[in-house]
Amino acid sequence: MIQLGAERLDRIVAVGAHCDDIAIGAGGTLLTLCHARPGLRVDALVLSGGGSEREQEEQAALAAFCPGADLRLTVHKLPDGRLPVHWDEAKAAVEELRAQTDPDLILAPRTDDAHQDHRGLAKLIPTAFRDHLVLGYEIVKWDGDLGRPAAYQPLSPEIAEEKVRLLQEHYPSQRRRPWYDREAFLGLARIRGIECHERYAEAFAVTKFKLNLGG
């Protein structure tokens, strides 16, 4: 299996349609990155949940998922499930984020995610971040939309367990959901780990990236 590592990784962007999307889809990757690179700048954008208990959950959660990072989080107030009819507001939020940072890596939803909010945000990202590596994270749900990912970030057993613990600790509003449990999160991480010859992993879709094999 080919391994590509970033020689320079000073700034990343993480975006989610809802509070908890980033942590569910890429929480282990954030923990891995921030433990390895103290002082990493993380610009995070969430489109819904602003002004509610969900925003408070997100602030505490991402602070825990980004230890030692320069975290800058913005949570907007778009209504859950209505991104397509709030397209202009969502696009303006993404463009505002782009004006604030030039990241080395972007963590975002997948463009083929079945949820309209996730999918809409994923399609907006390359309209503002045209020359950036975008990794599309996956979120398990009843739609059954998990696909065949192209990229994997291995997670140590300790990081995988920490991710699950932080998800349970920081998002009490989600505990009532039947899919929001340890088995679901670790189970998917175990399957993705098998696919890349590791114990655990998070997996990502990659729409387009540029190689520099002769550099």
Side-chain angles (χ1 to χ4, degrees):
M1 179 173 293
I2 297 173
Q3 298 186 54
L4 299 177
E7 295 181 3
R8 170 183 162 272
L9 194 59
D10 299 322
R11 295 185 176 200
I12 69 170
V13 156
V15 299
H18 316 101
C19 297
D20 79 15
D21 285 355
I22 296 170
I24 292 173
T29 297
L30 283 175
L31 285 166
T32 300
L33 282 169
C34 292
H35 282 310
R37 296 173 173 85
L40 176 70
R41 174 168 165 176
V42 179
D43 288 273
L45 169 69
V46 179
L47 294 182
S48 66
S52 71
E53 66 170 3
R54 298 281 278 137
E55 180 177 5
Q56 298 173 14
E57 289 180 345
E58 189 75 342
Q59 289 174 339
L62 289 190
F65 275 102
C66 301
D70 177 10
L71 174 63
R72 307 179 188 197
L73 169 63
T74 301
V75 182
H76 287 272
K77 298 181 179 181
L78 272 65
D80 188 352
R82 305 294 293 171
L83 188 148
V85 297
H86 292 270
W87 187 260
D88 289 345
E89 297 165 72
K91 184 173 177 59
V94 171
E95 290 177 345
E96 182 180 357
L97 174 65
R98 176 66 182 95
Q100 297 170 357
T101 186
D102 185 20
D104 305 306
L105 171 67
I106 299 172
L107 301 171
R110 297 178 298 124
T111 56
D112 57 352
D113 192 297
H115 194 297
Q116 67 271 19
D117 291 355
H118 301 171
R119 186 171 63 252
L121 176 56
K123 291 179 177 179
L124 277 172
I125 291 301
T127 69
F129 296 89
R130 295 185 177 274
D131 298 305
H132 299 79
L133 175 60
V134 181
L135 298 181
Y137 57 73
E138 56 186 357
I139 297 178
V140 64
K141 51 189 170 301
W142 74 271
D143 304 84
D145 63 351
L146 297 178
R148 299 184 64 180
Y152 298 84
Q153 170 57 52
L155 306 179
S156 69
E158 293 77 16
I159 289 291
E161 290 285 354
E162 185 177 4
K163 173 184 175 177
V164 173
R165 179 182 64 79
L166 292 177
L167 285 171
Q168 294 289 349
E169 177 181 346
H170 288 289
Y171 296 105
S173 66
Q174 303 304 295
R175 292 174 190 157
R176 60 181 172 79
R177 298 183 180 275
W179 55 268
Y180 196 92
D181 59 33
R182 171 187 173 83
E183 288 180 304
F185 298 134
L186 274 186
L188 180 57
R190 180 68 185 109
I191 290 171
R192 296 316 191 193
I194 291 171
E195 293 174 349
C196 66
H197 295 169
E198 299 285 347
R199 182 66 184 173
Y200 298 108
E202 285 178 339
F204 301 89
V206 182
T207 303
K208 181 171 61 175
F209 65 95
K210 182 169 62 177
L211 300 174
N212 181 18
L213 300 180

